[in-house]
Amino acid sequence: MGERFVVVPVDGGGVVAGEGEHLDVVVADPAPDTGGGSSSGGAATGEEKETLEDSVFEAQDPNAVVPILEYNREPNKYGDGVPKENSPFINNTDNDKGNNYDGTNMALFEEEMDSNPMVASLLNKLANYTNLTQGAQEHEEADDDEGPKKKTVKSPQMGTFMGVYLPCLQNILGVILFLRLTWIVGTAGILESLAIVGLCCSCTMLTAISMSAIATNGVVPAGGSYYMISRSLGPEFGGAVGLCFYLGTTFAGSMYILGTIEILLTYIVPKAAIFVAEKKEDEVGALLNNMRVYGTCCLALMAVVVFVGVKYVNKLALVFLACVILSILAIYAGVIKTIFEPPDFPVCMLGNRTLQNHQFEKCLKTETIDNLTVTTKLWTLFCDGPGLNATCNEYFDNNNVTMVQGIPGLTSGVISENMWSVYGPLSMLVENKNLMSVGGSDPSQDIYMPYVVNDITTFFTLLVGIYFPSVTGIMAGSNRSGDLRDAQKSIPIGTILAIATTSVIYITCVVLFGACIEGVLLRDKFGDSVKGNLVIGTLSWPSPWVIVIGSFFSCCGAGLQSLTGAPRLLQAIARDGIVPFLQVFGHGKANGEPTWALLLTAGICEIGILIASLDAVAPILSMFFLMCYLFVNLACAVQTLLRTPNWRPRFKYYHWALSFLGMSLCLALMFISSWYYAIIAMAIAGCIYKYIEYRGAEKEWGDGIRGLSLNAARYALIRLEEAPPHTKNWRPQLLVLLNLDSDQAVKHPRLLSLTTQLKAGKGLTIVGNVIEGTYLTKEAESKKAEQNIKSSMSAERTKGFCHVVVSSNLRDGFSHLIQSAGLGGMKHNSVLMAWPGTWKQSNDPQSWKNFIETIRETTAAHQALLVAKNVDSFPTNQDRLGEGTIDVWWVVHDGGMLMLLPFLLRQHKVWRKCKMRIFTVAQMDDNSIQMKKDLQMFLYHLRLDAEVEVVEMHDNDISAFTYEKTLMMEQRSQMLKQMQLSRTEREREIQSITDESRSSIRRKNQGAAENTNLSRQSSTAEDTQEDEAQLIHDRNTASHATINDKADTGPDRVHMTWTKDKLFTERNRNRECNANVAVRDLFNMKPNQSNVRRMHTAVKLNEVVVNKSQGAHLVLLNMPGPPRNRGGDENYMEFLEVLLEGLNRVLLVRGGGREVITIYS
């Protein structure tokens, strides 16, 4: 094991580098991170990138051809974007199969070495596994002749702090903390704010525990949460939640850009506004328009930056993180400073109302200058002129102007005033209830006055939706698992510590804001009462600009990272191939940058920017993130409860109850935040789920939903009694016996159409087929047949199972299917098959013999039998039959199958317009009028709508036609017995006759033995077969004994010397003699009286059915049973043929020996 493992490069001409050249291991740059935007790194060149993440470097045979490391983006068998994920190894390469194993120690296993490598080889792979960086690294293009630049692979060195803790911290702390937390505390009060923070942080903590369990249960490649959910819950859930997570990340980009523009236009350069409100009531509209214009420009700029080079974003990530940390430290420093020296930010109050102080400097109505009383700017805002005698607003006249300190300090006791909530409608004045106020104002005029008012209607659930985005970002660590030295250790510790840290920060901020800042200033969302300063900035130290600049760069960085991460997430979903219409977004630039995905992301992001309000966008992305977290918890809970063998997370501090609690909390928060957004988000996810289910590629990722289905099915099967169901619950559980042609294609696809129309997706359907041969030789044909049957079932929309059996003969195969198809209580009770239409033309009688034996098998198994004649003329699922009838000919009682089948067919839209008619046959002794009344009453109690008709069949004399038809049937049967003996019977009888002849000749003429052998060898194969058939016929004809005696008594037969000419002469003489006798017998025979009676019934019943039902869309008829004596099998087929003659669509029905329909409820 002391070899040095290298990848040996191949030059342009295919020459392998010399053995002595020890080169560094080189690969192309790895794939970009498709997860969160916070990850660092670059993108891979061309189509090579994902494979290189999973490459295994191992010793190469110096004489072997070195494989070029490349990755085909075509979806593999399991449709997985990550190659060979289904392998038991972390990585699996094709050249492993070429290893030679010398020596004798493992000779017993040498034939298995190709598919099952030795343990030493497996351990060698694991030891040399290198998980390459999955971050979004920049790939620089080189000249075409040089190919992509190469760099030496370094093993990931990032630890818990730098790799998980800080990125999570940066993603969690953001725009809501700086722009909205003070307003939330002022509006909801400290207690309810703590409840909001507690709910949201509990939700993310529980989700982090579940996520840690999933992330430590193996390697999590690019895609982060999407990968975890899709591989745990299947492609449908994975695609739906992955796209929701993508939309959430995209709208998060909108929110961060809107936050950036709000800081820019409100606190940094207010004069840069393009739209300026002429009146106070237009201020909100002007602000939104400014946000739309500047937001669109900012989005375009950020998209260009992301398109040009992700490396610039990643290099600035540390700067953005520093801004966040410095801003947090400035807040705590400011809080401490308020104990000793509170900052001076006075708030001007008129009565108990808060005033905007943008347009005045002094909080006074009048002032004295040089012993003269003059009015101030504040006076002009409430009065119609600057004079003391001007007419002023009544409320302004009645109330005094006072100043309160905006930041009274930590020890001021203001915490008691901010403990409770102050919710209100749109345009509600921000008031301090502790100050005196004299009424007299006109509410309709107040909106034109410079008061601070609510810009939106506030209530608890709204604040939950606005606040929740401030706790998202917990996936940042799992999205960059490839950058970590020990991902399975770092992800749980780093993520949970980051959530704990941010939770402490949020909780302390809520308490400290309530304890330090005056309530009216807390509720002043945009800081209008403190000259447009950021409210949280007024608390910070050393300057408000620390927070303003820090939050501005923080929002910029978060927006850039969202625009970096969202396209990569979409690219990962598109490359998995589960959503067909997203395939185009899997492509990108030559260096792997997802160009098309970036354009779509920018387009969706623009929708959020056009909404323009941070408070309106935040609940939208809250929905998508909550749905993602909900399914992370569900995935962990399902895997834990199923106890799947592969569920072995290294993180042990999880429990299914915690996951369910987290899932419930996510669902509750969705509806608490905004019930209508929650319904819309769930509808979007549901539509994507159904789309993937019906149109997406079929994947098998070993997901938990499949395991859950298996467990549920096992539980249901165990509970389902094997005893027959009650009559009220009986429905046809079908075993459909299909015929395939020589290419293993389905001969009668309309049989599947009939199955679909009869079942409508309910109950059990098993589609079976038998291939003649042995499984070892017919395995490939069996798989192909199964695939073709499944394709036909899909085309005909037949929901059920496929079962192909390989048997030594068809007879046994069908018997096995009838006996063993199904499982436990889920077994078929009816068999559906097609009528063998070509049985008369077939040279092989085995076809109709198998058909009759199948009828006997179903009868013995107490199963119903449905035989469709002319099945290719039955309607397809797309046909819509017009006005017509389904005619039921009820000759004998079969348990009610004839009544139930038309009812079931008419449930399907193909047969819905057809009416049901029931005919029954009356004999001479029957009272046909009473029979009709009784039948109508019976149908009434069965709740079936049908016309009833009783047909009288009189005992007519047997016609000459019937007699002649029976005679022809028996003559034909006799001729076929003479001409169509099976090969097995021929060989057996020929062998016995040959043995007898040989021993007789040997005894009577020893000297002629050699001549006999010589003449036998000289005879042709065809003549021999004719002789064999003739000999067998001789033994079966009535005159065989007499002819045989004559032949034996003739002297030539015993004593002649055999020559070739004499052999031919003797053979022809016997053949002509026997043929003449057989023909004489055929023409002299008389029909069997039992057969004549049966033929009479078939002819007469056929006349009546054709007369009444020839124009019906479908005729259902009792199927007579086969004869007990197998000698009459062929006559039975003739009887059925005569019975069905002249009818187009016929369904022969044979009951299973039990009642299937009842009059009782």
Side-chain angles (χ1 to χ4, degrees), residues 1039-1113:
S1039 57
H1040 174 72
T1042 309
I1043 297 169
N1044 223 16
D1045 291 342
K1046 290 179 181 179
D1048 287 343
T1049 57
D1052 293 341
R1053 182 67 180 256
V1054 178
H1055 300 290
M1056 69 180 291
T1057 302
W1058 289 94
T1059 64
K1060 183 177 180 181
D1061 294 338
K1062 288 183 179 181
L1063 177 66
F1064 288 155
T1065 303
E1066 180 70 13
R1067 179 190 301 151
N1068 292 332
R1069 185 168 66 83
N1070 287 337
R1071 183 180 301 164
E1072 290 171 3
C1073 179
N1074 293 334
N1076 291 333
V1077 173
V1079 171
R1080 268 200 315 275
D1081 290 345
L1082 284 175
F1083 283 105
N1084 292 334
M1085 66 186 296
K1086 293 184 178 180
N1088 184 292
Q1089 289 304 310
S1090 175
N1091 287 341
V1092 171
R1093 288 198 308 273
R1094 288 187 173 89
M1095 182 63 76
H1096 175 69
T1097 304
V1099 170
K1100 298 303 291 181
L1101 190 57
N1102 174 260
E1103 288 177 1
V1104 174
V1105 173
V1106 169
N1107 182 40
K1108 296 284 187 181
S1109 302
Q1110 193 167 21
H1113 286 316

Side-chain angles (χ1 to χ4, degrees), residues 607-889:
I607 295 173
I609 287 170
L610 291 177
I611 294 174
S613 170
L614 188 70
D615 303 317
V617 172
I620 297 175
L621 64 102
S622 293
M623 291 303 114
F624 293 124
F625 278 120
L626 278 166
M627 185 166 290
C628 176
Y629 296 165
L630 183 149
F631 282 101
V632 168
N633 284 297
L634 177 63
C636 180
V638 167
Q639 297 278 31
T640 307
L641 288 175
L642 288 179
R643 297 187 181 92
T644 49
N646 191 51
W647 180 247
R648 303 184 298 274
R650 289 197 173 277
F651 179 75
K652 301 298 182 184
Y653 305 101
Y654 67 93
H655 193 270
W656 65 265
L658 292 177
S659 299
F660 268 117
L661 180 61
M663 184 177 70
S664 305
L665 200 53
C666 289
L667 190 63
L669 283 172
M670 285 177 69
F671 283 92
I672 287 173
S673 302
S674 174
W675 63 268
Y676 48 90
Y677 277 154
I679 291 173
I680 292 171
M682 294 172 79
I684 292 172
C687 291
I688 298 168
Y689 179 95
K690 298 305 290 183
Y691 177 82
I692 296 173
E693 187 178 46
Y694 285 114
R695 296 294 305 276
E698 293 183 5
K699 309 293 176 189
E700 175 50 73
W701 285 331
D703 52 87
I705 292 297
R706 184 177 177 82
L708 192 63
S709 301
L710 285 172
N711 266 20
R714 180 189 62 84
Y715 177 76
L717 282 172
I718 289 172
R719 287 181 57 88
L720 190 64
E721 297 179 5
E722 291 203 29
H726 192 275
T727 303
K728 289 186 288 187
N729 296 327
W730 196 96
R731 66 165 59 246
Q733 317 286 6
L734 288 181
L735 169 62
V736 185
L737 299 180
L738 280 185
N739 290 327
L740 304 182
D741 57 22
S742 56
D743 294 330
Q744 307 303 327
V746 176
K747 274 187 180 179
H748 304 297
R750 297 289 177 88
L751 202 59
L752 295 174
S753 302
L754 177 61
T755 305
T756 303
Q757 294 156 23
L758 191 60
K759 301 288 291 178
K762 305 293 190 301
L764 175 70
T765 302
I766 302 173
V767 181
N769 175 253
V770 177
I771 296 176
E772 201 166 4
T774 62
Y775 187 70
L776 292 178
T777 57
K778 299 285 186 177
E779 185 207 359
E781 287 185 33
S782 170
K783 300 293 184 190
K784 182 180 178 183
E786 189 171 345
Q787 204 60 40
N788 290 344
I789 291 174
K790 285 181 178 177
S791 299
S792 297
M793 290 173 68
S794 176
E796 300 295 337
R797 297 180 182 176
T798 304
K799 296 179 181 179
F801 308 99
C802 175
H803 196 174
V804 177
V805 171
V806 181
S807 179
S808 57
N809 60 72
L810 297 177
R811 166 80 184 77
D812 291 344
F814 286 123
S815 177
H816 295 157
L817 273 176
I818 290 170
Q819 293 176 60
S820 62
L823 182 64
M826 282 292 285
K827 293 183 72 72
H828 62 278
N829 55 29
S830 308
V831 176
L832 173 62
M833 58 194 299
W835 171 263
T838 59
W839 71 273
K840 280 189 175 182
Q841 292 78 29
S842 174
N843 294 325
D844 183 11
Q846 204 60 41
S847 61
W848 56 264
K849 286 185 178 179
N850 286 340
F851 174 75
I852 295 175
E853 289 302 314
T854 303
I855 298 174
R856 289 192 173 104
E857 293 273 355
T858 54
T859 304
H862 302 290
Q863 295 174 3
L865 177 66
L866 312 177
V867 178
K869 185 172 186 287
N870 297 330
V871 68
D872 292 328
S873 68
F874 275 62
T876 65
N877 293 325
Q878 285 72 40
D879 293 338
R880 299 291 180 271
L881 297 179
E883 297 293 335
T885 60
I886 300 175
D887 287 359
V888 176
W889 284 86

Side-chain angles (χ1 to χ4, degrees), residues 44-51 70-73 575 586-587 590:
T45 301
E47 299 296 321
E48 297 179 353
K49 50 191 166 138
E50 276 191 26
T51 299
E70 62 181 23
Y71 174 47
N72 184 3
R73 282 290 178 194
R575 285 180 172 171
H587 307 296

Side-chain angles (χ1 to χ4, degrees), residues 199-269:
L199 274 174
C200 296
C201 291
S202 299
C203 175
T204 53
M205 180 62 80
L206 292 170
T207 304
I209 292 171
S210 300
M211 184 198 69
S212 298
I214 298 174
T216 57
N217 189 49
V219 179
V220 178
S225 58
Y226 159 70
Y227 182 92
M228 289 190 289
I229 294 168
S230 62
R231 270 51 174 188
S232 296
L233 294 178
E236 293 88 359
F237 278 111
V241 180
L243 285 174
C244 283
F245 190 50
Y246 162 74
L247 291 172
T249 308
T250 305
F251 276 105
S254 301
M255 185 185 73
Y256 290 129
I257 292 173
L258 290 174
T260 304
I261 302 305
E262 183 176 312
I263 294 168
L264 180 72
L265 293 181
T266 308
Y267 307 115
I268 299 179
V269 279

Side-chain angles (χ1 to χ4, degrees), residues 123-145:
L123 295 177
N124 184 28
K125 292 173 185 292
L126 297 176
N128 289 279
Y129 171 66
T130 302
N131 192 350
L132 302 179
T133 308
Q134 295 169 323
Q137 297 178 345
E138 178 68 16
H139 286 253
E140 298 178 6
E141 298 179 21
D143 295 334
D144 293 337
D145 57 341

